[in-house]
Amino acid sequence: MTMDHDDDRLAPYLAAARGGGAVSDALMARVLADAARVQATQPSLTPARPDTARGASLLAVVQAALGGWRGLTGVTLAGVTGLALGFLAPDVVDGLTGGQIGVWSGTSGALPEIGLLWEEGGDV
Amino acid sequence: MIGDPPAYAALSDGALMVLFANGDPGASRVLAARLLPRALRHAARVLGDRAEAEDVAQEAMLRLWRAAAGWQQDGAAQPATWLYRVVANLCTDRLRRSGRTASLEDADLARDGQPGVEDRLIEKGRMAALDAALAHLPDRQRQAVVLRHIEGLSNPEIAAILDLGVEAVESLTARGKRALAQALANSKEALGYDDGP
C-alpha cells in the first residue's frame, strides 16, 4: 500500500530523469578522441598484420593457416598416427581397406606403373 | 550524427569491444552511442552536477577503451555493467573527496526531446527536486535507487555493480525509494509546490 503510494509519488520525477542523458556533441567528440588515442597508442589495439609481412618463419605461417597451435597439433598427430599404423600394423590397414591397397599398388592396379612411361617401345 | 550500420547494430557490446581491440574505429562510435548516455545519466543523478557528470562519464569511457585489449567476449562481464560499476566508483570517490552531498544545481539534461517551455520548466523542476531529494540519501542507497528506478537494471545486475548481495540491494532500493518519496513530499510542502495530479 505504502509502496504503491511511493510509486505514484515518484513516477513523474523518475520519468523525467529517465528522459535525460542527452550527450552534447562536444562530450561525444572528446570520448571518441580518447578512443582513437587509445587505439593508436596501445600496440595490442592496432589492426593485426599478417605475420609474413614481418618475415615470420615458415612454421608461423603454417601455424596461422591451420588455425593456430591447436590446428597444427591436430594435423601433426593425425600424420604421425597414420605413419605408425602403416609401419606397425599394415595388416590391419589392409583389412580395413578390403585388401585394395595391395591391388592398387600391384602391376594390375588402378594406376599404371610409372616405369612404362619411359620404357614404352624400348625407347627412353 | 552517429550512424549505426546494420552490421554493427546486430552486434553485442562485448563483440564490439573485441572489434575495438582489433583496431576497428567504427566500434568505438557505436559503443559510445550506446553506453555514454547511460554513464552520463547515472553520474548526473548521483552527483547532481552536469559538468562533473561529464568528466566522470568521459573518464569511465576512457577506462572502457583501455580495458578492451584484455576483454573476454565470452566472459561474464557485460560492458554496460562494467561501465556502471566504474561510474559508481568514480562518483563515490568524488563525493568522498569533496566531502559534500550532491549539489542542487539544475543538470539541464532534458533538451533532446524539445518539449514546450512550460513542459521543460516542469521537467527541470522535477529533475532539480529529484536531485535535491537524492542528495539526502546515503551514497549506496542513492546509487541503488538510480540504477534500479532510473536506469532500469535488475537487482542481480546492481548487486554486481555495487559489489553487494541481491538481498542487500533489495533492501537498499526499498529504503531508498521510501526515503526519496518522503524527501520529495517534504520539499513540496516547504516550497508550497503542487506537482499536480
Side-chain angles (χ1 to χ4, degrees), chain A residues 2-3 5-7 9-10 12-14 16-24 27-28 30-32 34-39 42 44-48, chain B residues 2 20-24 28-29 32 36-37 40-41 45 50 54 58 62 65-66 69 109 112 123 126-127 130 149-150 177-178 181 184-185 188 195:
Chain A
T2 308
M3 292 300 279
H5 189 59
D6 287 345
D7 285 343
R9 195 184 288 173
L10 287 174
Y13 297 92
L14 297 175
R18 283 187 209 109
V23 176
S24 67
L27 175 61
M28 182 59 80
R30 290 203 301 273
V31 167
L32 292 179
D34 284 344
R37 197 161 42 247
V38 169
Q39 275 186 321
Q42 288 193 14
S44 57
L45 294 183
T46 53
Chain B
I2 292 168
F20 177 82
N22 287 330
D24 187 330
S28 60
R29 286 197 295 275
L36 181 56
L40 178 63
R41 197 166 46 222
R45 292 282 72 78
R50 170 76 180 195
E54 286 201 353
Q58 186 182 353
L62 178 59
W65 306 139
R66 286 178 177 155
L109 289 170
D112 52 339
E123 201 163 283
R126 281 175 176 158
M127 301 256 285
L130 181 65
H149 297 293
I150 296 176
K177 197 163 81 167
R178 209 158 42 237
L184 283 168
K188 277 197 291 186
D195 194 43

Side-chain angles (χ1 to χ4, degrees), chain B residues 98-166:
Chain B
S98 64
R100 62 167 174 76
T101 54
S103 83
L104 310 187
E105 189 177 329
D106 178 17
D108 194 18
L109 289 170
R111 287 185 175 163
D112 52 339
Q114 295 298 318
V117 174
E118 192 179 346
D119 289 344
R120 280 187 60 189
L121 284 173
I122 290 172
E123 201 163 283
K124 285 169 74 173
R126 281 175 176 158
M127 301 256 285
L130 181 65
D131 283 346
L134 281 168
H136 285 94
L137 304 184
D139 177 40
R140 288 282 175 151
Q141 241 180 55
R142 192 186 318 168
Q143 300 259 18
V145 167
V146 169
L147 291 170
R148 181 77 186 93
H149 297 293
I150 296 176
E151 294 304 310
L153 301 187
S154 67
N155 286 338
E157 285 174 313
I158 299 168
I161 290 165
L162 299 181
D163 207 14
L164 295 170
V166 175

Side-chain angles (χ1 to χ4, degrees), chain A residues 51-52 56-66:
Chain A
D51 284 343
T52 47
S57 68
L58 180 62
L59 179 63
V61 174
V62 171
Q63 180 190 331
L66 293 175

